[in-house]
Every structure is written in C-alpha cells, then in structure tokens.
Amino acid sequence: MKKLIGILLSIGLSVGIVSSMSAQEMKHNNSAKFQPIEQPITLRVAIALGGLSLMVAQLWWFLGSKPKSQKAEMSEGVQEVTITVDGGYVPSLVTVKRGQPVCLQFLRLDPSSCLEKVLFPDFHVAQDLVLNQTTPVEFTPDSLGVFQFSCGMGMFHGAIAVEK
Ligand SMILES: [Cu+2]
C-alpha cells in the first residue's frame, strides 16, 4: 500500500513537470506567432504549487516513512526476533544473517481474521497465529536478498532482509 502511494507520487510529479513544461512551450509558440494569449496567472500558480507540493510529499515519503527495521538477536545459534502483530507487523523489516537458523516470534494482538495467518512464500511457510500468544516461525535463509511476508490475504506486509 505504501509502495503504491510512492509510485502515485512519482507519477504525479512527472505529470506536474510535463504539464508546466508544455505550458511554457505554449506561451513561447504564442508569442512567436504574435498572438499573445494571456495564460491565466492562477493556472500557472496552481501548476507551480501542485508541482511543489508533490515534491514535498515525495521528500516526506522517502525521508519520513522508512519501515522500522530491527536486527535479529543471536541466541544459542538461532537468530531470534519478536514481531508484534497489531494492525500490521512491528518491526516490519527484520535483518538476519544468511545460513543461520531464524526464529521469528509472532505475537498476535490483533483479533481481526485478516492477520490470523502469516505467509512466507519464499520459505514455504504458511503459519496460523494464535491470538494473544506467541507463535514461532522458523527457517534458515540460504540466499541473500529481501524476502516479503504477508497476512493471508496479502494486505499487510513485512520483509526479511538477509545479509552476509
Ligand atoms: Cu489480511
């Protein structure tokens, strides 16, 4: 969902730039033909403000809305981290090391059936989560990369970043 907003913002910004560019071109063509058609100043201000607000929104997007990342703690050879399930996953990004067993402790506090299952397609895990309890999900990541997990319907997302 957040990714989608980011993409929409990018599209909006490009449209804003293109439309203000073509507006300038229009003005240039008009003066060349000695047919000065006054562009309404409000339109130009609106385009400028629109572009500016999109840029601000995009900046906020990249600087202010990074997912909360957490490194898994190593204990007795297992990389462990507790992920709270409550209107989403916290932390939503967990960093682990490759080749070491991982144990994610899912503490489900959210009663909505949406979050009763957690799926790790890359690790072939589909785990039911018991309400108000901690359910472990275990796997060993063999390859580097970022692997998504989600609720049963794919509405809430998190990711595991596997590093060296
Ligand atoms: Cu869901």
Side-chain angles (χ1 to χ4, degrees):
M1 183 58 193
K2 283 188 169 179
K3 229 180 217 168
L4 185 70
I5 296 171
I7 291 165
L8 286 179
L9 285 177
S10 311
I11 293 170
L13 183 61
S14 333
V15 169
I17 288 170
V18 168
S19 58
S20 61
M21 264 164 38
S22 61
Q24 279 188 354
E25 203 177 304
M26 241 156 61
K27 189 181 153 206
H28 179 77
N29 286 347
N30 286 341
S31 56
K33 288 183 207 156
F34 299 104
Q35 287 176 334
I37 296 168
E38 235 357 84
Q39 227 180 13
I41 186 83
T42 48
L43 178 68
R44 269 188 268 176
V45 169
I47 287 170
L49 282 181
L52 193 71
S53 60
L54 278 168
M55 271 192 272
V56 169
Q58 212 168 29
L59 202 66
W60 165 83
W61 174 255
F62 284 114
L63 297 181
S65 66
K66 282 197 177 140
K68 281 200 173 130
S69 158
Q70 193 175 317
K71 263 202 165 75
E73 296 283 326
M74 186 70 90
S75 88
E76 289 172 23
V78 178
Q79 313 183 73
E80 226 182 88
V81 70
T82 298
I83 297 177
T84 304
V85 182
D86 195 0
Y89 302 104
V90 180
S92 58
L93 179 61
V94 174
T95 307
V96 299
K97 285 200 190 313
R98 177 175 66 176
Q100 304 263 18
V102 170
C103 180
L104 304 171
Q105 301 282 3
F106 280 90
L107 172 59
R108 180 183 166 206
L109 302 177
D110 196 319
S112 78
S113 62
C114 177
L115 287 156
E116 70 191 359
K117 229 182 202 352
V118 66
L119 307 180
F120 288 77
D122 297 296
F123 302 106
H124 310 288
V125 170
Q127 181 65 54
D128 287 313
L129 303 178
V130 185
L131 186 59
N132 294 322
Q133 278 189 36
T134 300
T135 309
V137 169
E138 289 163 309
F139 55 86
T140 302
D142 293 322
S143 41
L144 302 176
V146 176
F147 304 95
Q148 296 247 353
F149 62 89
S150 70
C151 70
M153 294 147 254
M155 282 173 288
F156 291 99
H157 292 271
I160 307 297
V162 182
E163 297 180 340
K164 272 187 204 166

